[in-house]
Amino acid sequence: MSEAKGKEQAVKTAEQVVKPADRSNVKTGSVVYMGPSIKNVMQEGTVFTNGYPEKVKAYLEAHPIAKELIVATSQMAAVKKELRDVNSARSIFYEKMKGEL
């Protein structure tokens, strides 16, 4: 299997396996973007409180995988650990986001 096809399959598998992020506090609490920096949209580590600016909403609509890299601030440590595991779903999403930039 080619490397590109292997990565594509890994992303599909990750999308099926990953549990939806806890977004219960998106409108009322703080969340942080744990993905790669996106020029003129958001930087890695950007914290959002009480929703998103319009340009971020538009980006998330066009790139749904980015939503998996936005987590509650209370989950930051666990997600950082998960991102170091190259086989984790979030790590795969992170790499796919980097590839789209």
Side-chain angles (χ1 to χ4, degrees), residues 26-92:
V26 169
K27 294 190 181 204
T28 59
S30 296
V31 293
V32 61
Y33 173 66
M34 303 287 292
S37 295
I38 303 163
K39 188 175 182 176
N40 299 323
V41 179
M42 61 187 155
Q43 300 295 311
E44 182 172 354
T46 301
V47 176
F48 300 100
T49 305
N50 300 322
Y52 307 114
E54 288 304 315
K55 66 182 175 182
V56 173
K57 285 181 187 178
Y59 188 87
L60 294 175
E61 188 69 31
H63 301 87
I65 287 178
K67 293 177 187 176
E68 297 302 327
L69 298 169
I70 296 177
V71 299
T73 53
S74 62
Q75 295 177 319
M76 282 180 65
V79 172
K80 280 185 179 183
K81 183 178 179 182
E82 195 176 337
L83 288 172
R84 287 191 295 266
D85 176 2
V86 296
N87 296 315
S88 75
R90 279 206 176 88
S91 179
I92 292 168

Side-chain angles (χ1 to χ4, degrees), residues 14-34:
E15 289 171 345
Q16 293 169 352
V17 171
V18 73
K19 294 177 182 168
D22 177 13
R23 292 190 179 77
S24 59
N25 64 353
V26 169
K27 294 190 181 204
T28 59
S30 296
V31 293
V32 61
Y33 173 66
M34 303 287 292

